[in-house]
Amino acid sequence: MMDHARDLASVRDATERLLTAATKLDNAAVAEPSRLPGWSRGHVLAHLARNADALVNALQGRPMYASAESRDADIERDAPRPLDVQLADLRESEARFQEAGAAPADWSRTVELRNGVTDKAARVPFRRWVEVELHHVDLGIGYELEDLPAEFVEREIDFLAERFIGHPDVPPTRVTDGTRAWSTGREAADPEVTVRGPAPDLLGWLSGRRDGACLTAEGGPLPTLPPL
């Protein structure tokens, strides 16, 4: 069961970690490339702020974004802003998200996200936690997948493995860190491939942030995953 209140607290803590780390940057560093192709650190910060507002929209029954084009245009518009403006915007948008999350609501209801995706309202705080944690890593400022909270890593592996279940281009795959195991890919009685490695490397591979070079694959080559 999702504990949306606990996840909201995790979002708040993760955002504070990111804001604290980002205060050590300067305007020049914000304009430098992030780890995401084609995006500066300013793009990442702008996206995080606008995503918080978009998830407020989802929680309140509105479309997350007016359109895909307006989403992209807002990020491009906000990316060049100075560091202090970026951080103030992120802090304020986080406060709006927390306020929306604290409002009395039916957390079992279904909400609509981007591209027609739907989910339970109770999962929205976890989705925001994912955005904050992984994009903190994407900033490339010293926060790595190995620094992520262990609970988050386990839950995000579970979430990503679930997303690829039934995908025709992914063979039946067992993913394990030696302690826990997940199934993903096409459904079958037995896996064709078993992928082993440390949990942060598994998360990096599943999220497209690492190439899987530190993982081992048994029964076949390491599967090539489609983009999320």
Side-chain angles (χ1 to χ4, degrees):
M1 293 291 291
M2 284 282 167
D3 185 340
H4 71 273
R6 189 165 181 267
D7 286 345
L8 280 167
S10 296
V11 172
R12 184 177 59 247
D13 293 344
T15 304
E16 283 302 319
R17 283 195 297 274
L18 189 156
L19 288 167
T20 298
T23 58
K24 300 173 184 177
L25 301 175
D26 56 26
N27 290 336
V30 171
E32 292 173 350
S34 74
R35 291 175 173 173
L36 294 178
W39 271 17
S40 68
R41 292 190 179 108
H43 283 88
V44 175
L45 293 171
H47 163 63
L48 281 170
R50 300 289 68 78
N51 172 263
D53 287 335
L55 290 175
V56 170
N57 288 338
L59 287 174
Q60 296 179 347
R62 299 185 295 273
M64 280 187 67
Y65 301 98
S67 67
E69 293 76 15
S70 67
R71 170 190 176 272
D72 294 345
D74 287 348
I75 293 171
E76 290 295 333
R77 178 198 66 207
D78 293 344
R81 298 176 301 176
L83 176 65
D84 60 340
V85 177
Q86 296 274 16
L87 299 188
D89 186 19
L90 180 53
R91 190 177 294 279
E92 290 162 8
S93 62
E94 165 65 10
R96 291 189 290 270
F97 179 73
Q98 291 288 332
E99 182 180 7
D106 174 12
W107 287 93
S108 67
R109 73 192 188 280
T110 298
V111 298
E112 185 170 347
L113 305 172
R114 289 183 65 204
N115 303 321
V117 173
T118 60
D119 205 347
K120 294 297 184 184
R123 180 116 76 156
V124 170
F126 177 70
R127 285 180 174 270
R128 176 59 182 174
W129 191 12
V130 172
E131 293 285 330
V132 175
E133 292 285 17
L134 293 187
H135 285 317
H136 190 169
V137 174
D138 294 334
L139 286 171
I141 56 176
Y143 191 69
E144 303 297 340
L145 295 174
E146 286 77 11
D147 299 314
L148 295 169
E151 176 196 351
F152 171 82
V153 172
E154 181 175 356
R155 289 176 61 186
E156 179 62 353
I157 292 174
D158 185 69
F159 180 71
L160 292 172
E162 182 180 338
R163 288 189 65 170
F164 293 121
I165 287 177
H167 198 290
D169 296 331
V170 181
T173 303
R174 180 175 183 265
V175 178
T176 180
D177 64 355
T179 301
R180 298 152 295 187
W182 300 263
S183 295
T184 195
R186 295 190 302 273
E187 297 191 44
D190 298 299
E192 292 180 9
V193 182
T194 296
V195 177
R196 301 180 185 274
D201 284 309
L202 293 173
L203 174 54
W205 170 63
L206 288 165
S207 66
R209 285 168 169 81
R210 290 186 181 171
D211 62 8
C214 294
L215 303 175
T216 60
E218 303 167 7
L222 184 72
T224 299
L225 300 177
L228 293 171

